Amino acid sequence: MAAPMQHEDLLKLKSFIEFVDSNPTVLNMPQLQFVKDFVEKFGGKVPAGDFKMPDASAGGKCPFGGDAGAKAKKPDSGAADSADANASDDSEDEESLSEPESDVELDMEGVIEADSDPAQPMGDSAKEPTEEEVDQAGDLRAQAASAYGQQKFDEAIAFYTKAIELNPGNALFHAKRGQAFLKLKKPNACIRDCDKALELNCDSAAAYKFRGRARRLLGDFELAAKDLRQACKLDFDEETDEWLKEVTPNAKKIEQHRVKQERRQAERKIKERQRAQRRARKEQAKQSASSGGGSTGAFPGGFPGGFPGGFPGGFPGAAGGGGGMPGMPGGVDMADLMGAMKDPEVAAAMQDILANPANISKYVSNPKIFNLMKKFVPGGDLGAAFAQAEEKSGEPSEPKTKKGSADFVDDGLD
């Protein structure tokens, strides 16, 4: 008759029993209470006292292979190395995140201090000038051009302002007044006039040209290059092209610096996310270690799944610790078993089944016990387990009547 366990699992169980024989106080562990009850049920007695792992310094060896002390120290060493590595990574990340951003080196020759004069009058945009006002504004523009030619820039600005009040919808008046403001080193006033001109006429090459020059004087090289480039597209002239060539080197440096900073910011976000993930894993590991279950401390000795001495694969039939009964479905570890054993109903059922394996059939209608047993039966096949248990107990299973057999009579009522 075949045993209900694989040969290698029987060997593991034998090793565990031998260990218990040498260290019977291990059964005083709360997690092994069901085994202790099983022993006492048959008249056995477990000595009182707390279990202590065999001393490695005195030559004590774990019966399941390896030195007890070495087994205990390995996780600590690995944990320390991991902690050191994590600390080193966090330190490097802190240094990289705290590195000051480098400043781009620009040629600031020709950059002037920004003007802060009150905004100049822009006229009433809703006004519809008469033909007479349009003619008067044209005459004022001619006088402004004459004053500008004589380098009387304040006078030219005054004439352009009067022309704008008469005909505020003329974009060229604003652009030309902005040009005069440039001559007086008032780039902000120039930009205001050019903004208004482009509001009235988005294709004003003069407005783009003078605004680009004003931005260059303020050191805003990227926007200056953009305006001057657009002015060249609309109405190319050599002066605009020369101004564009002047600002292009600084504009490229700024663009390259911005791309570099964007890349650094992206890398910083990735490192911050990785550091947060490492911290979360460390916190999770601490919680797992302090929970007293799983592979870290329910039992001393480094036993995967909680049994002493490094018992390979955990409790026979369980999946904890990377081993267990061959053919057993995965997803079950000793933490599952120990947690289930805290339920008095489950503990009583386990004792009943250990006393007589055939009693497993009593719990088929109990989902709690039935589903738990499926996890610890080879292949999850309880049918085969029933047959083996009944064969062992000498109680043959009752044959099932099949439709179509000689004993079946169809009365035609279905």
Side-chain angles (χ1 to χ4, degrees), residues 112 152-154 157 179-187:
I112 64 175
K152 298 178 180 179
F153 303 117
D154 286 317
I157 289 172
Q179 182 183 19
F181 277 122
L182 266 183
K183 291 296 185 178
L184 294 177
K185 305 297 183 183
K186 296 182 177 181

Side-chain angles (χ1 to χ4, degrees), residues 97-154:
L97 294 177
S98 61
E99 287 179 2
E101 296 183 355
S102 59
D103 294 329
V104 59
E105 295 182 2
L106 301 175
D107 181 4
M108 303 300 288
E109 183 180 357
V111 176
I112 64 175
E113 186 176 352
D115 55 302
S116 58
D117 293 344
Q120 62 270 33
M122 296 293 179
D124 184 4
S125 300
K127 179 182 179 180
E128 291 291 340
T130 64
E131 291 185 5
E132 182 180 356
E133 288 175 332
V134 171
D135 292 339
Q136 291 177 359
D139 292 340
L140 289 168
R141 176 199 170 186
Q143 296 177 50
S146 175
Y148 184 90
Q150 298 174 27
Q151 297 187 358
K152 298 178 180 179
F153 303 117
D154 286 317

Side-chain angles (χ1 to χ4, degrees), residues 184-379:
L184 294 177
K185 305 297 183 183
K186 296 182 177 181
N188 280 330
C190 174
I191 291 173
R192 286 193 293 268
D193 261 331
C194 292
D195 287 343
K196 184 64 177 180
L198 290 170
E199 179 183 327
L200 298 170
N201 178 14
C202 61
D203 290 329
S204 173
Y208 278 116
K209 174 181 178 178
F210 299 133
R211 189 174 71 173
R213 184 60 178 175
R215 285 173 166 172
R216 181 263 178 270
L217 294 178
L218 292 174
D220 196 348
F221 297 102
E222 269 196 302
L223 291 178
K226 182 179 179 181
D227 279 346
L228 295 171
R229 197 176 295 117
Q230 182 65 21
C232 287
K233 288 181 180 179
L234 293 171
D235 186 13
F236 180 85
D237 69 71
E238 292 185 359
E239 185 178 43
T240 305
D241 186 52
E242 286 297 324
W243 287 353
L244 177 60
K245 291 178 180 178
E246 182 181 329
V247 300
T248 296
N250 279 347
K252 285 186 175 180
K253 287 181 180 179
I254 294 172
E255 181 181 7
Q256 292 171 357
H257 181 71
R258 185 180 66 255
V259 171
K260 179 181 177 181
Q261 293 306 109
E262 290 174 353
R263 184 172 61 250
R264 282 173 57 88
Q265 290 175 3
E267 292 174 352
R268 183 181 292 108
K269 289 181 180 179
I270 293 174
K271 289 182 178 180
E272 288 175 349
R273 186 164 57 249
Q274 291 174 343
R275 184 172 60 175
Q277 291 172 348
R278 285 198 299 270
R279 288 177 176 175
R281 286 195 295 268
K282 288 168 65 177
E283 184 64 25
Q284 184 178 6
K286 288 180 181 179
Q287 293 178 356
S288 298
S290 62
S291 66
S295 62
T296 59
F299 289 80
F303 179 67
F307 278 83
F311 195 156
F315 187 81
M325 183 179 293
M328 173 73 64
V332 181
D333 58 17
M334 288 306 298
D336 293 335
L337 178 59
M338 295 308 171
M341 292 304 298
K342 294 179 181 179
D343 187 334
E345 182 183 0
V346 175
M350 290 293 292
Q351 293 177 16
D352 188 23
I353 295 170
L354 284 172
N356 184 2
N359 289 341
I360 192 172
S361 60
K362 294 164 54 177
Y363 301 96
V364 173
S365 60
N366 187 329
K368 184 192 300 184
I369 308 301
F370 184 76
N371 292 331
L372 179 64
M373 292 305 301
K374 284 181 67 177
K375 297 179 181 181
F376 293 94
V377 171

